[in-house]
Amino acid sequence: MRTLMTLLLAVLLCQSAFAQTGNTQISGTLHGASWKKISLKIGKNQANMSQYSVDTQLNEDNEFTFDISLSEPQFVAISYGPNSWVNLYVEPGNQIELEADSKNFDRTVYFKGSEGANNRVFQTYMQQFPKESKFKRKQYKKGTLYYEVPTDIFSKIFLLNPSAFASYAQSIKQHKLNTISAYVLSFPDISPMFVKQLRANAEYEWAHYMLSYGYASNKRNLDPNFFDFANEIALSDDDLVNNPAYRQFIKGWIDYRFFSGETPDYNHFAGQYFLAKEELHGKTRAFFQSDILIRGLKKTDMSLMLDAYDDFVKSTEHQEYTTSLRGVFNQKNRAAVGSPAPSFTMADINGNPVSLNDFIGKVVYVDFWATWCRPCLSKISMTKTVQSRVPSSEVVFIHISLEKTAKKWRDSVRFQNLGGIHLFAEGGIDSEIAKAFDVSMMPAYFIIDRYGNFAPKPDKTDAFTLQDYLVKLL
């Protein structure tokens, strides 16, 4: 009897350790598969919205397995073939098994067993409330962020008064919450945390729409009480740190609070860091402080971020959020003001070699872009205006495309009649030139002075500010 109890205790301890370490398995079978590669896209924990991919191969029986380590619930995606993917919800310790017809992967996927209950419901939810393609969604640029909304919300923001829009957004949220409540009654196997995450998607998506209306769209003479909608949701909730809708809203809310208040004379990102320190708490605070610092280090001069950076790495109780931050800080050191810019030689759109060293003695504006990046196209259009206003013999504009194909790059440059020197980086975001300049997102730009060193960037990048700034460097 004692031996049996010992064995049972060992099994329970192993199961507990498995759940605590977050070892999670996603496996499945794709019937009739000819394409043997399958990918799992996972949102990074280190305070940003980007994803990384884990690839594996189907075996001879068309089976696959992903073994991953998770510490918190997440929404992930599995992609198969060039244009087919399925969104999943996973919790630490899950053993998720699926099967699908490879020729119709996203429409035939079925999640098996009791641990598939969450995802069977999630697939139903996604069919009832499909998400619009990122390429169709509209954006507002406000403060330090781009606020992205579906086209129907964009049109309602334009057409409706505050009260009518609030009612419209509320009706969308309530419909989703009522649907989720019906799921809870009909599917008792779904987990409480999954229900919380699904509700959070509806609630923080609604809050994001309200913030986009009241702040990002530049509505004038808006009653300040409009923003009382935020009293209906929690700003700090550690369970939701990996929830995309929650991340999106909290980033926007801190941005709004900083720019709408009587802010100290801070760099925008450093100021938001200290505001987050006041208004958030727990792991949530650490997550968003790290996010703000990473964006600030990537987009502004490092010297302006040092106080906030030092405060965070020395004081945070959640050191896990310093790992990615320290990496960005070390990379930024290489591109710090006064450091030599990485030299390169690449062929321009006509096949002629272009070397950065050719422009010693001139001010050089370098940016990275792609045709699918709408903000990039806006920035290039703005620099085209600046180019016409500064002496071309003393200021050089170099546009480096991270496009997927050289043909699409050439066609875009010629069709839009873009000015400046145009270069194509084979390999896109993973190219050597992108790595040399530590470009991980776009748009990204750098200013190089007459001595070949990185120069500070202006706080604003509108045409007039950039024009004056470049002239002052001559």
Side-chain angles (χ1 to χ4, degrees):
M1 181 68 178
R2 180 176 296 177
T3 303
L4 178 60
M5 291 299 293
T6 302
L7 287 172
L8 287 173
L9 180 60
V11 170
L12 289 172
L13 287 172
C14 288
Q15 290 176 339
S16 176
F18 185 85
Q20 288 173 3
T21 56
N23 291 326
T24 302
Q25 188 176 89
I26 303 172
S27 60
T29 304
L30 299 188
H31 301 292
S34 56
W35 185 285
K36 292 297 183 180
K37 176 183 171 183
I38 189 166
S39 301
L40 177 67
K41 298 183 183 295
I42 307 171
K44 290 184 179 178
N45 290 328
Q46 283 81 18
N48 57 60
M49 296 296 285
S50 63
Q51 290 185 323
Y52 69 95
S53 293
V54 178
D55 300 330
T56 193
Q57 296 290 318
L58 301 178
N59 65 17
E60 60 183 11
D61 296 319
N62 291 328
E63 299 168 337
F64 69 89
T65 299
F66 291 105
D67 287 305
I68 57 177
S69 181
L70 296 180
S71 58
E72 293 143 345
Q74 284 205 31
F75 291 93
V76 302
I78 291 181
S79 66
Y80 175 74
N83 297 304
S84 187
W85 67 88
V86 170
N87 293 303
L88 292 81
Y89 169 78
V90 290
E91 294 178 4
N94 274 170
Q95 300 284 288
I96 297 173
E97 187 178 358
L98 63 88
E99 63 177 319
D101 180 347
S102 65
K103 295 180 176 60
N104 204 358
F105 174 59
D106 53 337
R107 296 186 181 183
T108 61
V109 66
Y110 177 75
F111 293 91
K112 302 164 72 174
S114 60
E115 291 198 348
N118 289 339
N119 281 294
R120 290 194 292 272
V121 170
F122 187 44
Q123 295 308 304
T124 302
Y125 182 82
M126 294 297 290
Q127 290 168 7
Q128 286 185 264
F129 305 104
K131 193 171 183 179
E132 187 176 51
S133 165
K134 186 176 181 66
F135 299 105
K136 293 181 180 179
R137 293 163 74 90
K138 304 297 183 180
Q139 289 183 332
Y140 297 101
K141 175 65 173 72
K142 186 72 172 179
T144 62
L145 297 171
Y146 287 91
Y147 292 74
E148 188 177 272
V149 296
T151 51
D152 64 321
I153 294 295
F154 181 81
S155 65
K156 291 295 190 289
I157 288 175
F158 178 75
L159 293 171
L160 300 181
N161 63 41
S163 177
F165 180 82
S167 296
Y168 177 74
Q170 177 69 23
S171 68
I172 295 174
K173 178 184 74 168
Q174 196 57 54
H175 179 37
K176 291 184 176 182
L177 292 177
N178 291 343
T179 300
I180 295 166
S181 295
Y183 291 159
V184 173
L185 294 175
S186 301
F187 305 100
D189 289 342
I190 59 178
S191 71
M193 181 55 71
F194 169 65
V195 174
K196 179 175 182 177
Q197 296 288 339
L198 212 54
R199 287 184 180 277
N201 274 352
E203 291 169 346
Y204 289 95
E205 179 186 72
W206 160 78
H208 172 71
Y209 294 162
M210 294 290 285
L211 187 62
S212 297
Y213 183 95
Y215 171 59
S217 67
N218 290 314
K219 294 289 182 182
R220 297 182 178 180
N221 302 318
L222 193 68
D223 186 340
N225 292 330
F226 179 87
F227 294 96
D228 288 347
F229 71 83
N231 295 331
E232 298 181 33
I233 52 175
L235 292 182
S236 292
D237 190 327
D238 291 352
D239 287 339
L240 303 178
V241 164
N242 282 326
N243 186 293
Y246 177 70
R247 286 185 180 185
Q248 179 178 241
F249 172 71
I250 299 299
K251 285 171 67 173
W253 182 255
I254 294 297
D255 189 77
Y256 154 70
R257 292 279 292 125
F258 177 80
F259 285 103
S260 63
E262 294 183 6
T263 56
D265 188 20
Y266 279 130
N267 164 274
H268 296 162
F269 293 99
Q272 289 188 44
Y273 166 85
F274 288 110
L275 181 63
K277 188 174 183 177
E278 294 177 6
E279 300 205 351
L280 304 175
H281 60 264
K283 182 186 290 185
T284 298
R285 177 169 65 188
F287 179 91
F288 286 102
Q289 283 182 307
S290 178
D291 170 74
I292 293 165
L293 290 172
I294 287 173
R295 288 187 287 123
L297 285 170
K298 288 182 176 181
K299 295 185 177 182
T300 62
D301 295 332
M302 188 172 69
S303 61
L304 301 175
M305 301 298 298
L306 285 177
D307 288 346
Y309 173 83
D310 287 341
D311 179 77
F312 184 72
V313 297
K314 292 176 181 177
S315 66
T316 183
E317 296 178 358
H318 297 275
Q319 286 294 316
E320 65 269 28
Y321 292 119
T322 67
T323 304
S324 228
L325 175 61
R326 290 178 190 274
V328 173
F329 180 83
N330 292 334
Q331 289 282 353
K332 185 72 173 184
N333 253 332
R334 297 190 324 194
V337 173
S339 299
S343 60
F344 60 84
T345 300
M346 302 169 65
D348 68 11
I349 198 165
N350 298 313
N352 301 315
V354 174
S355 174
L356 183 61
N357 293 334
D358 294 341
F359 306 112
I360 295 295
K362 300 181 180 183
V363 173
V364 182
Y365 176 96
V366 179
D367 69 7
F368 291 81
W369 70 291
T371 58
W372 46 263
C373 169
R374 287 197 186 100
C376 298
L377 297 176
S378 298
K379 191 172 285 290
I380 284 186
S381 177
M382 180 271 292
T383 58
K384 187 176 178 181
T385 301
V386 176
Q387 288 177 59
S388 66
R389 297 174 179 171
V390 296
S392 58
S393 60
E394 298 182 76
V395 182
V396 177
F397 290 82
I398 299 178
H399 307 290
I400 301 176
S401 172
L402 302 183
E403 190 60 63
K404 293 181 179 179
T405 67
K407 183 181 184 303
K408 195 163 188 179
W409 159 64
R410 290 191 189 95
D411 291 346
S412 179
V413 171
R414 287 168 176 157
F415 176 75
Q416 299 185 58
N417 192 28
L418 301 176
I421 296 170
H422 286 270
L423 311 176
F424 176 73
E426 189 74 43
I429 202 76
D430 296 318
S431 62
E432 291 303 316
I433 186 67
K435 291 177 181 176
F437 278 80
D438 190 33
V439 174
S440 58
M441 61 180 66
M442 293 181 287
Y445 81 98
F446 304 87
I447 298 174
I448 300 167
D449 66 21
R450 293 182 295 121
Y451 307 102
N453 299 323
F454 286 111
K457 297 177 184 178
D459 286 338
K460 298 180 181 179
T461 53
D462 61 275
F464 289 108
T465 302
L466 182 60
Q467 171 192 332
D468 292 343
Y469 185 79
L470 293 174
V471 170
K472 288 177 182 178
L473 290 176
L474 298 177

